[in-house]
Amino acid sequence: PDDAIAAWKKYITLFGKRDEVEDIPIVALHIGKIYEGKKTPADDKKAIDVYSTYAKKYKKGPRVVEAYSRLAMLLMNSGKKKDKRRILANFKETTKAFDKLEGAEITAEAKFFAAQAAFMSTEYLFDEFQGVDLKTKTTYQHKKRLKNKAGLHQKLEKTYQGIEGQGPEGIPF
């Protein structure tokens, strides 16, 4: 894997500034996938950096959808609860990037990564729903928490139904 990464980086250095070379974005994304495939915390961090840079640099296209989704999944799988806001922001960016696609840009892969982002961000809402503790000492607290949990339930139901058929943000399945 290290030789492949070195070769891809050299390719980008040699041909990255030429307008006629259209595969530089593909190569850049492959570098992130190779790091991700090595499955070590240090390489996951490198993959996160690659995907983050990729998404900021290219801004539009089906591979940007993939980069944001892969970035969010790596952050999520790192087990760092403090990254929740960053994870959700990247899932949201995944959906935004998907919404910018037109025609042939809407590939099966882009649909997959957009659907993954919609589902996984909803899982955070489910965790919040499950975390509402209804055991309280007063009727007032119980009523307040029950109302909160009911509201979260309605939001979850609506969101999951959107993912199941016609996804949030117009993601067609």
Side-chain angles (χ1 to χ4, degrees):
D2 293 330
D3 291 341
I5 291 169
W8 286 124
K9 284 182 176 181
K10 186 172 184 176
Y11 181 84
I12 290 172
T13 302
L14 292 172
F15 301 105
K17 302 222 187 284
R18 296 184 183 179
D19 290 337
E20 69 273 8
V21 180
E22 296 177 7
D23 59 352
I24 296 300
I26 298 168
V27 171
L29 196 60
H30 280 309
I31 291 171
K33 291 178 188 180
I34 294 169
Y35 280 129
E36 187 178 351
K38 290 173 73 175
K39 300 193 184 296
T40 67
D43 288 314
D44 283 353
K45 184 175 179 348
K46 290 176 185 176
I48 287 168
D49 291 342
V50 168
Y51 294 143
S52 180
T53 301
Y54 183 95
K56 289 174 188 168
K57 182 174 183 177
Y58 295 105
K59 294 184 172 100
K60 190 173 187 267
R63 289 183 187 88
V64 173
V65 176
E66 180 178 352
Y68 275 123
S69 186
R70 285 182 178 277
L71 172 58
M73 291 299 294
L74 277 168
L75 289 169
M76 193 173 81
N77 292 334
S78 73
K80 295 179 182 173
K81 294 287 185 190
K82 66 179 180 175
D83 283 338
K84 178 181 176 183
R85 184 172 289 161
R86 186 174 174 202
I87 293 164
L88 290 173
N90 280 290
F91 280 140
K92 187 173 185 172
E93 289 300 323
T94 303
T95 306
K96 282 183 185 178
F98 184 83
D99 287 343
K100 292 178 185 176
L101 302 181
E102 297 175 356
E105 290 180 319
I106 302 173
T107 63
E109 291 84 9
K111 289 180 185 180
F112 168 81
F113 287 108
Q116 180 183 49
F119 183 81
M120 295 309 293
S121 59
T122 303
E123 286 293 289
Y124 275 99
L125 184 61
F126 182 73
D127 289 344
E128 185 179 340
F129 169 79
Q130 281 189 311
V132 176
D133 185 8
L134 296 177
K135 294 179 186 173
T136 62
K137 293 183 179 190
T138 68
T139 306
Y140 173 77
Q141 286 177 332
H142 184 75
K143 187 176 179 180
K144 188 175 176 180
R145 288 183 189 178
L146 190 59
K147 187 175 180 179
N148 180 31
K149 192 159 188 153
L152 287 169
H153 182 271
Q154 289 176 342
K155 191 173 180 181
L156 271 170
E157 186 176 11
K158 182 179 177 184
T159 306
Y160 277 127
Q161 285 174 346
I163 294 169
E164 184 180 341
Q166 173 78 16
E169 311 290 331
I171 301 168
F173 301 112

